[in-house]
Amino acid sequence: MGERILIVDDAAFMRMMVKDILTKNGYEIAGEAEDGQKAVELYKEEKPDLVTMDITMPEMDGITALKEIKAVNPDAKVIMCSAMGQQAMVVDAIQAGAKDFIVKPFQADRVIEAIQKALS
């Protein structure tokens, strides 16, 4: 364990929920970002093992940030987080290289399952 994960979501409450699930399961938090622009910058600085990325955010959305991170590192592991009813965006994200997606509200076991699968 001990993999470093970057959490990206414009809602502080959502970041806190994800952080709580991850730390309880032995993951290290590489950083947190509230928009896609910061996510890309932090990714370059921290080089985390995995990113959890919200789709809908101000400044730069998650799909644009995913594409930029993939341009920096084609092997980047990114899991998209979306609310129900964003299926079209999820398809875009998978085509852009996302490893998986988790639906809000998060269920801890589903989050961990997606992360373990993406990291293996």
Side-chain angles (χ1 to χ4, degrees):
M1 280 291 202
E3 284 101 340
R4 298 170 65 252
I5 300 177
L6 172 61
I7 302 170
V8 187
D9 199 304
D10 56 330
F13 171 71
M14 282 295 174
R15 293 197 308 272
M16 197 175 72
M17 271 179 62
V18 175
K19 182 160 55 175
D20 189 50
I21 293 168
L22 297 178
T23 51
K24 280 181 179 159
N25 285 275
Y27 293 100
E28 196 185 313
I29 307 308
E32 294 182 42
E34 64 273 11
D35 64 55
Q37 191 66 55
K38 285 207 176 65
V40 175
E41 288 165 21
L42 265 175
Y43 186 86
K44 289 176 188 170
E45 283 168 30
E46 297 294 332
K47 299 177 178 53
D49 298 301
L50 184 132
V51 181
T52 64
M53 178 84 71
D54 186 23
I55 290 182
T56 314
M57 294 181 291
E59 303 302 321
M60 181 192 287
D61 68 51
I63 294 173
T64 308
L66 166 68
K67 289 174 181 166
E68 292 211 6
I69 286 170
K70 283 289 198 178
V72 173
N73 176 9
D75 299 323
K77 295 181 170 87
V78 182
I79 294 175
M80 304 308 283
C81 307
S82 74
M84 288 303 275
Q86 291 186 315
Q87 274 75 5
M89 287 183 182
V90 167
V91 171
D92 288 349
I94 301 293
Q95 287 172 338
K99 289 277 181 208
D100 203 345
F101 71 95
I102 40 182
V103 177
K104 298 173 184 179
F106 299 127
Q107 287 163 315
D109 53 351
R110 174 68 187 109
V111 172
I112 296 305
E113 178 196 320
I115 286 171
Q116 287 171 343
K117 197 170 82 180
L119 287 169
S120 63

